Structure formats: structure tokens, C-alpha cells
Amino acid sequence: MASSHPPAQLPLPLLVDPADTVRHEGFDLPAHASSVARARAVVGGQLRRWGFPEDLGHTAQLVISEFVTNAVLHTDSGRIGCSLQLRGHQLRIEVTDEGTDNCAPLPRSATPDEVNGRGLQLVGALAERWGVSAGDTRCGRVVWAELGTH
């Protein structure tokens, strides 16, 4: 005898658009020169775990290195916050400092014989976008860059 009830419907599988996928990794470091190398290592390791190619890892390491170096050298921070956020095909790198001044880092034109002063120009050449935002209510700023992952 046939049942009068309709067959049970199975749920459809969820289709996840990679553009909707968000991954996040954050870490804090003391504002010391030795933290620059640590930030590079953490970023490189995380991008390898997420399965990204080595060239993206090198670019991200250069960006985090520049941002952490600037926070160490040019602010009175005790700690530096670092964050990686992957959303779809875009990697956002953020470094938060505790500086008490209100001036944002700006690229400058270094003379050919100067050793320093080219880092933010490099970031500008490598990133799709970069900028500076106000920090939280304590003080400081967030310097960020967005890199394409494809």
C-alpha cells in the first residue's frame, strides 16, 4: 500500500562563495626591534597554513615588516597589535600602535644616499590600497594594506 505522505526532503548542500569566506588571525607583540622578525615569521607561517603561494607570503612579510618597524621607531607604543584578515581574494594586513601623536605615517622621498625612507613607497607599489585609520579610544592608529591574493 502506498503512503499518502510526500517523501522527506533532504536539505540542499550549502554552496559557499569564496568571496564570503573570512579568515582572521591576530597577535600582539612588544614594541621592540626584535618583534619585526617575529611578525614576519608569524605572517609567513599563517599564510602557508592557509595555503597561499610563497610570493604572496613574501609580499605580506614585507608589508608587516614596514608597518611594525614604523610603529617601533616612530611611536611611543609599548605593544603593537597585528592582524591578518582574508576575505575572498583580498588579504588585509593591519598594525595597531599606541602612539600618542596624531600624525599619520606618510611616504617620503628619500635621497639616493639615504638608507631609510622608502618603506611606505614600497607598500604603495605592492598593495592594492593602503592607509591609516584612527585607533580605538585609547589612542594610536591602525596602518593597513590590502593585497590581492590571485
Side-chain angles (χ1 to χ4, degrees), residues 60-134:
Q61 287 174 311
L62 187 147
V63 170
I64 198 89
S65 180
E66 176 60 23
F67 289 172
V68 172
T69 297
N70 283 349
V72 168
L73 294 178
H74 303 296
T75 74
D76 54 355
S77 299
R79 303 235 12 116
I80 298 167
C82 301
S83 171
L84 298 175
Q85 184 181 72
L86 177 66
R87 182 181 305 269
H89 297 290
Q90 188 173 72
L91 176 66
R92 183 176 175 102
I93 300 167
E94 295 183 352
V95 171
T96 305
D97 65 49
E98 301 170 327
T100 56
D101 64 13
N102 288 327
C103 51
L106 298 170
R108 65 184 188 97
S109 295
T111 63
D113 56 335
E114 285 183 285
V115 175
N116 298 321
R118 293 171 186 82
L120 291 176
Q121 290 178 352
L122 287 171
V123 170
L126 295 170
E128 290 179 351
R129 298 181 329 138
W130 78 276
V132 182
S133 306

Side-chain angles (χ1 to χ4, degrees), residues 5-7 11 34 38 42-44 46-47 52 59 66 73 85 88 99-100 107 120 122 130 142 145:
H5 298 298
S34 62
R38 180 73 185 130
V42 171
V43 166
Q46 185 60 54
L47 291 180
F52 284 95
T59 301
E66 176 60 23
L73 294 178
Q85 184 181 72
T100 56
L120 291 176
L122 287 171
W130 78 276
V142 178

Side-chain angles (χ1 to χ4, degrees), residues 42-57:
V42 171
V43 166
Q46 185 60 54
L47 291 180
R48 277 191 301 280
R49 283 189 293 283
W50 284 346
F52 284 95
E54 193 174 329
D55 61 334
L56 176 65

